[in-house]
Amino acid sequence: KCQAVQREKWITAREAEQLPVPYYHMVFTLPACINELLPRYAKQVYGSLFKASWHTVQDFAKDPKYLSAKTGMVAILHTWGQQLWLHPHLHCIVPGGGVTKEGKWKYSRQKGKYLFPKRALSKVFRAKFMAYLREQITIPQQIAKQAFEKRWVVYAKRPFTQPEHVVEYLGRYTHKIAISNHRITAVNKGQVCFTYKDYRQAGKQKQCSLSGVEFLRRFSQHILPAGFVRIRHYGILASKNKA
């Protein structure tokens, strides 16, 4: 359902915390082969996704080659695609710099599109995720083989032009569910019709029609484990460190 009021409250609470620095939008995505584990191990998979993403960013920030400082991150879990298929990914906002050992702010050396090199991020992210997940469950050999054969994706967007734009942008992702009412165009004769954007065709809007049972099956895949926190703050942006 609509969560516009909650979203605006969240945005207002975050605006006072923004630093006057460039910010980067990063997206950490899991490959489709991992989806097979979700019906039974959702908590472990999503927990490992958060942990691996943050530790990847943290390690690159510590590296003298890139930043050599403590950074932070705000991460929001999304599990769906436009047609309600499973598509687990984290939307992350990372400041373009960090705090040195001397307590001083240090800007990132990267002045262009990316905070850290994408290919290197992807490889480290994949290794960390698989290691953290293996600490909790036994990954079937076939799934592990597919995961390591596939090239994982870490998306990074250009820095935001103004720090105040960061929270507004992030607010788009904070209080969403898999599908909102305005996208459902018809419910009749056991069928549910809804609109979706086809990003393979430049976001062209299309219609999808599913049986009621299939619609509910897809929707219910995105109900998170009880008590699971889908918005998390790390490093210098964590609650205990913000002051």
Side-chain angles (χ1 to χ4, degrees):
K1 305 290 283 188
C2 175
Q3 297 191 58
V5 174
Q6 289 89 335
R7 183 180 68 245
E8 290 305 314
K9 285 181 178 178
W10 187 88
I11 289 174
T12 302
R14 299 283 84 77
E15 282 179 338
E17 301 168 356
Q18 292 308 293
L19 298 168
V21 301
Y23 280 80
Y24 290 76
H25 178 207
M26 303 174 74
V27 184
F28 292 85
T29 304
L30 294 180
C33 59
I34 300 296
N35 292 352
E36 296 178 42
L37 301 171
L38 287 169
R40 188 174 178 185
Y41 300 112
K43 191 172 184 179
Q44 291 86 346
V45 170
Y46 295 145
S48 298
L49 173 57
F50 272 104
K51 188 176 180 181
S53 299
W54 165 236
H55 285 178
T56 298
V57 170
Q58 188 180 43
D59 284 359
F60 274 79
K62 286 179 180 177
D63 193 328
K65 188 164 56 174
Y66 301 113
L67 184 60
S68 189
K70 291 182 180 179
T71 189
M73 184 173 88
V74 180
I76 302 169
L77 174 65
H78 273 195
T79 63
W80 57 84
Q82 281 281 300
Q83 296 185 69
L84 301 184
W85 295 114
L86 276 170
H87 179 54
H89 56 286
L90 279 191
H91 287 278
C92 304
I93 295 295
V94 182
V99 179
T100 64
K101 292 179 180 178
E102 294 75 30
K104 302 294 183 181
W105 181 262
K106 182 180 181 181
Y107 282 97
S108 166
R109 294 174 184 170
Q110 304 298 318
K111 304 297 183 184
K113 188 173 182 180
Y114 305 114
L115 182 60
F116 306 122
K118 289 199 302 181
R119 287 192 178 183
L121 277 172
S122 300
K123 289 180 180 179
V124 173
F125 168 55
R126 179 179 62 185
K128 286 184 180 295
F129 174 84
M130 296 299 287
Y132 294 146
L133 190 58
R134 277 180 166 143
E135 291 174 0
Q136 302 170 78
I137 67 171
T138 300
I139 304 173
Q141 187 175 355
Q142 184 59 30
I143 293 177
K145 184 172 182 291
Q146 289 178 45
F148 278 109
E149 287 176 348
K150 191 171 181 63
R151 183 177 166 186
W152 290 33
V153 178
V154 176
Y155 171 80
K157 206 172 185 179
R158 286 185 184 276
F160 294 90
T161 53
Q162 298 292 331
E164 54 267 27
H165 295 165
V166 177
V167 174
E168 288 290 340
Y169 185 88
L170 201 56
R172 300 180 194 177
Y173 299 97
T174 54
H175 294 77
K176 275 189 175 182
I177 57 172
I179 189 169
S180 52
N181 287 348
H182 79 275
R183 285 179 56 200
I184 300 174
T185 57
V187 181
N188 53 52
K189 296 182 180 179
Q191 294 291 117
V192 179
C193 300
F194 61 92
T195 60
Y196 71 95
K197 292 179 182 177
D198 188 343
Y199 290 111
R200 292 180 180 177
Q201 295 186 14
K204 184 179 179 181
Q205 186 160 295
K206 296 183 178 181
Q207 286 271 349
C208 180
S209 181
L210 302 174
S211 70
V213 171
E214 174 59 12
F215 177 84
L216 288 174
R217 186 192 72 80
R218 292 193 194 182
F219 183 84
S220 64
Q221 292 180 111
H222 309 294
I223 299 172
L224 296 177
F228 193 87
V229 179
R230 61 181 293 267
I231 304 176
R232 303 185 184 187
H233 299 71
Y234 295 96
I236 61 173
L237 299 180
S239 296
K240 66 177 182 178
N241 297 328
K242 282 177 184 176

